[in-house]
Amino acid sequence: MNAVEIEEAISNLAEQPFDVEMFPYQFLEAFGNKETTIKRLKSGSENKSDIENGVLQRNNIHIAVCNTGEISTTLNKLRASPATEKAKAKFILATDGIDFEAEDLTTGETVACAYPDFPNHFGLFLALAGISTVKQIRESTFDIRATSRLNRLYVELLRTNPNWGAPERRHDMNHFMARLIFCFFSEDTDIFNGNDLFTATIEQMSARDASDMDWVIGEIFRAMNTKPEDRATSNFRPWADAFPYVNGGLFSGSTETPKFTKIARSYLIHVGKLDWTKINPDIFGSMIQAVADDEERGALGMHYTSVPNILKVLNPLFLDDLLAELEAAGDNPRKLLNLRKRMAHIRVFDPACGSGNFLVIAYKKMREIEAEINKRRGELHLKSEIPLTNFRGIELRDFSAEIARLALIIAEYQCDVTYIGQKEALQAFLPLDSQNWITCGNALRLDWLTICPPTGAGVKLLGDDLFNTPLDQAEIDFENEGGETYICGNPPYVGATVKAPKGASKEQKEKIKIDEQSRKADLKAIFEARTSKWKSLDYVSGWFMKAADYGKSTQAISAFVSTNSICQGQQVAILWPLIYASDHKISFAHANFKWANLASNNAGVTVVIVGISNTKNKIVKLFSVDANENYIVKNSSNINAYLIDGPDIIVRSETKPLASLDQMLKGNQPTDDGNLILNKSENDYLINKYVDLRKIIRPYLGSHEFINGDKRFCLWLEDNDLELAYSIPELQLRFDNVKNMRQQSTKATTVKLAETPHFFDEIRQTGQGSVIVVPSHSSEEREYLPVGYLHDGTIISNAAFFVENPSIWTIALIASKLHLIWVTTVCGQLETRLRYSNTLGWNTFPIPKLTEKNKQDLTRCAEDILLAREAHFPATIAELYEVKDGLPQMPENLRHAHERNDEVLERIYIGRRFKNDTERLEKLFELYMQMVKPGKR
């Protein structure tokens, strides 16, 4: 369950009659406990509570229902209970159905409230559902509750108004939701005259059966689009006339409202009863965006970008510089005034703005700095000089674009209340400005220079209102000479290719296909004239290239969150030379870290943050995370495309190892339509029927078989085996099938091979002696690359790489953290799997010159790893190196063998263990630079 689903379940529980016996089980069920778990607790087999009416769930919570007025006493008993300590309970909870008290035993945080109000504190208990980002959720409890209630309303309205869910009406539905959000916020913040004016009016003036709800709401909306001077002739009822004129396009146009059911009416009133003064526009925008997005509603509330993560982009982009200037200014009035003027001309542009998270946070942080300036200058009464229209965005989805504008409007009002007072904020708020500063459209097809024009350029066409003018037209005339532009954002995470998930319907597959074609067309428009390899680029590359093009006309600095794929593997060689050619360099970067969302047990996608600029900086900052999750900031003279402190260099494929290493080759390619390959049952049948076949049937192994222990075999013939093979009807049929398949190929070389259908297409292995095998694809979660040593003449398929008759110490290199981080960096990933390459990952792997003693030590380390695995036979590689919930499950002796191997190898490199992966990569790139120097090859 996600946080929104839990909130809904908890709210439903609080609304039901209190059940003394069932409450503990209902509470646990609301946090996602399965029915079987609840049954075991009810039976007493797993409930070890020593408190009357208590329910104890090991490692989670100790709950007790008590008599009226005995809550505090019961909570003390739970706290002192030996069973609580023995079961390692994280929480204790006591309630009598009237009041509610609980405590987090780890942090000491407590809750004490009336029983009906305990859903307001559901965030305290989210660890019960395995949700690790509890702090972030607790800080946005209101936003989750509001989203949950709005989602119920939205779904109910679409159920009873299916035509509003059709593509041609979806904008109307989303626009209606934006109007509701504005009303809920306005009635709780004195923007409307009177407390709860909107909700109370609907509750009092509409029929209980909701038969006239659409008319009542439509009249309220019509009033908010009517100027005061026009009210007398508009025939408003007094209850509608009480609403102020809003304008800004939010309530212009049609006032048509979907039909309400009694249930929908109840949902709307429940939403209105929330305290909307607590809204966080930087978070809420993303959550409400999911309400209106069919694809995102399944993970409702899970997609917002946390403020700390947004600041990882904005701080080094420009906020740190503003804060440094503020500190340097001290109390100097002139310097403070100059900084305030500078900020008034700063433009922040997010060309993938979604619901406006980055823009809202940038605006709020700049208002904080401006307020401090005004405080130091003794000018707290001054209105802000930072215009919302300097916070520009592009968003593909129209509802998200509307929500982005609304989020900024709310943020501006909240900041005005905080810094200049409620009265002044209200005076400045209505009517809304009609200017449009969030453009709805495809960011990769629009001209960024017209949407966020550089200093001195302007866009002259002005719109009539905020929400109903053509959304693809930028409508602001900038007049901020000398201003700075900062481009930022979190563009879509989409790889070069996207596969439909298992079980996808025909319609889903078709949509994925159409979306991918559209993305390819976007990238083609940007890159086709620059490189023939553009099809291999991830979608986010388009934003980096557009930012670099934008920078040709102005000294903008850009920074985007991206999957780390653009700084790994083949994409580096395609994208970054183009960025460099535009005279841009990396101005700062944040190396790999997890961009976690709020989903249960979600470790998050691995991302990087890369800032680019055409301004030459003497010092650039490289941010990274150490093993203890501490942030490290390193000053550098240059950051290269792999996000390493060092010169700009691109690792390119090599046909042979640059260092003194064994030759590694790709496995053997059958090109046989499966006819030369046997599964276990086919193999058993043939060798039982034809004993002599044992000599020409070999174990056959690729990535999957090696990692998971599956058995496959192949027909592996020498010339002197042909008579035997063709004498067997079953094999004759297989060879005929291979021949027919190859003859139908469009490749001349494959057609030629039809003459020898009994042989593999590409044979790279003698089939004699031992081999080291390395899978071509494996999970990125594993701490070490899978590598094996086989003695039995196994044939390696084209889905793996091999070293034939190898030096044993080669295993120590491949199984090291050093090699894993090198391969991850220079080879990259395919979807979520690590992609190995002999030419790019092995042949380029930098190692110091090894002495005989080094080789002996590494040989012993390799043998220890193999022996540690053997001790757990028949466990597979997948089982031995399994990772669950982000935690490795490796047996202790195998872990010790790997750690010893890493220590021995890393001491060969630098005489000690490396501190982190950043240091490992820096050393590897230093050695690589030495290997590729002219004259070294």
Side-chain angles (χ1 to χ4, degrees):
M1 295 177 73
N2 65 43
V4 173
E5 292 168 332
I6 291 169
E7 189 283 329
E8 183 173 346
I10 284 291
S11 294
N12 288 337
L13 174 58
E15 292 167 3
Q16 296 172 13
F18 181 68
D19 190 319
V20 173
E21 293 184 2
M22 293 301 297
F23 172 80
Y25 308 111
Q26 293 170 331
F27 186 86
L28 292 170
E29 192 173 8
F31 282 91
N33 280 269
K34 296 180 180 178
E35 186 177 346
T36 52
T37 303
I38 300 298
K39 283 183 177 179
R40 287 196 296 268
L41 285 170
K42 284 182 179 178
S43 69
S45 61
E46 290 191 5
N47 180 12
K48 306 301 181 183
S49 175
D50 53 1
I51 303 294
E52 184 180 0
N53 296 324
V55 173
L56 173 60
Q57 187 178 41
R58 184 171 184 80
N59 294 321
N60 273 340
I61 191 169
H62 200 173
I63 305 173
V65 177
C66 59
N67 295 326
T68 303
E70 296 182 1
I71 289 184
S72 295
T73 302
T74 304
L75 200 70
N76 288 333
K77 288 180 180 178
L78 290 168
R79 191 182 295 109
S81 160
T84 298
E85 183 177 359
K86 185 176 180 181
K88 299 180 179 178
K90 300 182 183 74
F91 303 94
I92 53 175
L93 186 163
T95 184
D96 58 3
I98 299 171
D99 294 308
F100 178 102
E101 290 189 19
E103 181 178 342
D104 182 333
L105 296 175
T106 304
T107 65
E109 185 175 352
T110 59
V111 167
C113 64
Y115 177 83
D117 296 332
F118 81 80
N120 293 330
H121 306 281
F122 80 98
L124 177 71
F125 304 101
L126 283 171
L128 298 178
I131 296 176
S132 59
T133 49
V134 175
K135 183 175 183 293
Q136 295 176 11
I137 297 177
R138 286 218 295 271
E139 291 172 349
S140 57
T141 297
F142 169 81
D143 305 283
I144 293 172
R145 300 205 74 195
T147 304
S148 174
R149 281 165 162 70
L150 284 167
N151 180 59
R152 278 179 271 180
L153 172 61
Y154 192 88
V155 171
E156 175 66 12
L157 289 174
L158 286 183
R159 185 184 70 80
T160 54
N161 299 269
N163 57 315
W164 284 66
E168 61 271 15
R169 293 301 307 274
R170 184 56 67 93
H171 171 73
D172 296 334
M173 184 65 187
N174 294 342
H175 190 63
F176 172 71
M177 295 298 291
R179 288 170 166 175
L180 290 184
I181 293 166
F182 178 85
C183 291
F184 292 136
F185 175 74
S186 297
E187 70 176 351
D188 284 355
T189 53
D190 294 330
I191 293 170
F192 290 168
N193 297 319
N195 292 330
D196 298 327
L197 180 65
F198 179 68
T199 304
T201 300
I202 288 173
E203 191 170 16
Q204 294 167 13
M205 303 312 302
S206 65
R208 289 186 175 274
D209 64 0
S211 57
D212 60 354
M213 274 279 285
D214 55 326
W215 175 76
V216 172
I217 294 175
E219 282 295 282
I220 293 172
F221 288 173
R222 186 167 71 91
M224 287 190 281
N225 192 48
T226 304
K227 295 178 180 180
E229 58 268 27
D230 298 330
R231 292 287 178 107
T233 59
S234 298
N235 299 319
F236 286 117
R237 303 290 177 89
W239 48 265
D241 202 28
F243 287 86
Y245 171 55
V246 174
N247 197 359
L250 183 56
F251 295 99
S252 63
S254 173
T255 58
E256 184 183 1
T257 298
K259 295 288 185 181
F260 273 68
T261 61
K262 187 176 180 180
I263 293 174
R265 178 180 183 272
S266 176
Y267 284 160
L268 185 146
I269 292 171
H270 273 82
V271 177
K273 296 293 187 184
L274 292 172
D275 182 2
W276 282 77
T277 61
K278 297 178 180 178
I279 188 172
N280 294 310
D282 44 312
I283 291 172
F284 179 76
S286 288
M287 303 183 80
I288 191 58
Q289 172 185 321
V291 169
D293 192 310
D294 292 333
E295 294 180 4
E296 292 188 23
R297 196 178 300 119
L300 193 64
M302 300 300 102
H303 293 280
Y304 89 77
T305 306
S306 69
V307 174
N309 276 342
I310 290 173
L311 290 176
K312 287 187 178 78
V313 178
L314 298 180
N315 281 339
L317 182 63
F318 73 98
L319 289 178
D320 284 345
D321 183 52
L322 295 181
L323 289 169
E325 189 171 340
L326 176 64
E327 183 177 359
D331 293 323
N332 186 302
R334 180 180 55 80
K335 291 182 178 180
L336 291 169
L337 179 61
N338 287 339
L339 176 57
R340 190 169 70 193
K341 288 181 176 179
R342 175 191 170 191
M343 288 200 302
H345 295 106
I346 286 176
R347 284 157 292 173
V348 182
F349 175 37
D350 183 350
C353 72
S355 53
N357 312 55
F358 281 77
L359 299 175
V360 168
I361 294 299
Y363 177 78
K364 290 169 70 173
K365 290 297 179 181
M366 289 178 67
R367 286 293 300 269
E368 284 182 20
I369 297 171
E370 183 187 48
E372 179 61 25
I373 291 171
N374 292 343
K375 178 182 176 183
R376 294 184 190 182
R377 285 177 54 88
E379 297 173 332
L380 289 173
H381 62 285
L382 289 183
K383 294 181 180 179
S384 176
E385 296 180 6
I386 300 172
L388 279 187
T389 50
N390 274 7
F391 296 80
R392 315 231 66 205
I394 303 175
E395 169 53 35
L396 185 62
R397 294 169 290 192
D398 62 348
F399 183 54
S400 299
E402 290 191 6
I403 291 297
R405 295 188 206 107
L406 194 54
L408 279 162
I409 289 169
I410 291 172
E412 180 184 45
Y413 177 79
Q414 290 177 331
C415 288
D416 283 347
V417 170
T418 300
Y419 300 126
I420 63 174
Q422 177 87 358
K423 181 179 179 181
E424 290 76 8
L426 286 170
Q427 289 175 347
F429 191 70
L430 293 179
L432 297 180
D433 198 311
S434 65
Q435 292 174 313
N436 170 24
W437 65 95
I438 304 294
T439 300
C440 182
N442 184 337
L444 298 189
R445 294 304 184 99
L446 296 173
D447 183 357
W448 293 8
L449 290 169
T450 63
I451 292 166
C452 188
T455 299
V459 181
K460 301 302 182 183
L461 176 62
L462 298 179
D464 295 328
D465 58 49
L466 174 60
F467 284 91
N468 285 335
T469 51
L471 292 172
D472 59 354
Q473 173 60 52
E475 295 160 357
I476 297 301
D477 182 7
F478 281 111
E479 296 179 355
N480 46 356
E481 290 292 339
E484 307 156 33
T485 301
Y486 298 100
I487 303 175
C488 59
N490 186 6
Y493 296 157
V494 185
T497 57
V498 179
K499 292 183 179 179
K502 288 184 178 179
S505 65
K506 183 179 179 181
E507 291 76 15
Q508 288 174 315
K509 291 178 180 178
E510 184 62 26
K511 183 179 185 303
I512 290 172
K513 181 180 179 181
I514 292 171
D515 288 347
E516 184 165 7
Q517 289 173 344
S518 175
R519 289 191 295 268
K520 289 293 185 186
D522 291 343
L523 292 181
K524 181 179 180 181
I526 297 170
F527 287 104
E528 187 179 33
R530 309 174 201 248
T531 174
S532 61
K533 299 179 180 179
W534 61 268
K535 292 182 181 179
S536 298
L537 291 172
D538 283 357
Y539 197 44
V540 70
S541 300
W543 274 264
F544 279 93
M545 199 70 247
K546 291 277 284 188
D549 288 343
Y550 182 95
K552 292 177 182 178
S553 300
T554 181
Q555 288 192 336
I557 303 176
S558 307
F560 295 115
V561 182
S562 168
T563 47
N564 55 4
S565 54
I566 67 159
C567 294
Q568 297 177 351
Q570 62 177 339
Q571 293 198 55
V572 172
I574 302 170
L575 174 64
W576 287 98
L578 302 177
I579 301 292
Y580 295 152
S582 70
D583 202 29
H584 280 72
K585 302 277 282 185
I586 294 177
S587 55
F588 74 90
H590 201 307
N592 294 350
F593 67 100
K594 294 292 186 181
W595 191 267
N597 61 30
L598 302 185
S600 176
N601 299 318
N602 190 310
V605 63
T606 300
V607 301
V608 294
I609 296 170
V610 184
I612 61 172
S613 170
N614 55 11
T615 302
K616 302 300 183 288
N617 298 318
K618 291 183 179 179
I619 298 295
V620 293
K621 294 183 183 293
L622 177 61
F623 300 83
S624 60
V625 181
D626 66 15
N628 298 317
E629 298 297 316
N630 297 314
Y631 285 97
I632 302 169
V633 183
K634 182 174 184 179
N635 292 330
S636 170
S637 59
N638 191 73
I639 299 173
N640 66 28
Y642 297 98
L643 306 190
I644 299 300
D645 177 9
D648 293 325
I649 187 170
I650 292 175
V651 179
R652 302 189 183 277
S653 297
E654 301 285 347
T655 56
K656 293 181 179 179
L658 295 173
S660 299
L661 298 172
D662 288 337
Q663 182 80 12
M664 182 185 291
L665 300 172
K666 187 178 181 180
N668 306 278
Q669 172 77 42
T671 314
D672 65 333
D673 206 22
N675 287 284
L676 300 179
I677 312 304
L678 309 170
N679 60 34
K680 189 176 185 304
S681 61
E682 291 169 334
N683 170 71
D684 293 346
Y685 166 78
L686 286 173
I687 62 175
N688 286 331
K689 186 175 181 180
Y690 307 104
V691 178
D692 290 343
L693 281 186
R694 293 177 183 272
K695 61 179 291 192
I696 63 173
I697 295 180
R698 298 283 193 93
Y700 182 69
L701 182 146
S703 297
H704 178 81
E705 293 79 19
F706 171 65
I707 292 172
N708 296 286
D710 294 344
K711 300 290 185 182
R712 282 209 299 170
F713 303 85
C714 71
L715 300 171
W716 188 261
L717 280 65
E718 305 288 347
D719 286 337
N720 56 9
D721 298 321
L722 297 183
E723 184 177 349
L724 168 64
Y726 277 91
S727 70
I728 296 172
E730 290 90 340
L731 299 195
Q732 175 74 60
L733 177 60
R734 287 174 175 266
F735 298 149
D736 288 344
N737 290 340
V738 175
K739 182 177 181 178
N740 291 335
M741 174 261 180
R742 291 179 178 176
Q743 284 177 335
Q744 294 173 23
S745 174
T746 57
K747 293 183 178 180
T749 52
T750 303
V751 173
K752 177 68 175 174
L753 288 167
E755 298 173 6
T756 53
H758 41 270
F759 290 146
F760 272 44
D761 177 347
E762 297 176 9
I763 300 174
R764 303 184 181 91
Q765 191 178 348
T766 67
Q768 307 299 319
S770 59
V771 292
I772 288 173
V773 59
V774 183
S776 56
H777 297 99
S778 59
S779 171
E780 66 162 351
E781 291 188 333
R782 294 192 184 100
E783 290 186 284
Y784 297 96
L785 280 170
V787 56
Y789 184 70
L790 306 171
H791 300 273
D792 54 2
T794 297
I795 302 305
I796 306 303
S797 84
N798 60 302
F801 297 92
F802 72 94
V803 179
E804 196 165 29
N805 296 313
S807 307
I808 300 298
W809 53 264
T810 298
I811 293 174
L813 299 182
I814 298 171
S816 67
K817 282 188 174 171
L818 274 166
H819 192 55
L820 174 65
I821 190 64
W822 179 256
V823 169
T824 301
T825 301
V826 304
C827 296
Q829 294 170 210
L830 182 64
E831 296 171 340
T832 59
R833 295 169 295 157
L834 189 66
R835 174 166 49 191
Y836 197 87
S837 165
N838 61 330
T839 58
L840 194 55
W842 178 248
N843 291 348
T844 64
F845 184 49
I847 62 168
K849 186 173 182 179
L850 301 178
T851 66
E852 288 304 312
K853 176 67 165 56
N854 294 152
K855 294 177 182 178
Q856 291 171 10
D857 291 342
L858 292 174
T859 297
R860 177 63 183 272
C861 289
E863 291 171 343
D864 287 346
I865 290 171
L866 296 175
L867 288 170
R869 290 183 191 168
E870 189 67 25
H872 298 279
F873 180 83
T876 64
I877 292 293
E879 293 166 339
L880 291 172
Y881 294 86
E882 184 180 13
V883 177
K884 282 185 179 179
D885 300 331
L887 298 175
Q889 308 296 305
M890 193 183 302
E892 193 59 35
N893 66 330
L894 181 56
R895 174 174 295 283
H896 178 76
H898 272 289
E899 288 176 350
R900 174 62 181 161
N901 180 60
D902 284 331
E903 181 170 354
V904 169
L905 182 60
E906 291 182 11
R907 286 187 180 278
I908 292 172
Y909 275 79
I910 60 170
R912 60 168 174 82
R913 292 298 302 271
F914 288 100
K915 295 176 182 177
N916 52 36
D917 286 345
T918 299
E919 193 179 41
R920 289 184 177 95
L921 277 174
E922 287 174 358
K923 183 63 179 179
L924 289 170
F925 270 91
E926 176 190 323
L927 292 174
Y928 178 77
M929 289 286 291
Q930 295 174 10
M931 291 196 306
V932 296
K933 276 183 180 178
K936 285 283 186 179
R937 291 173 178 266

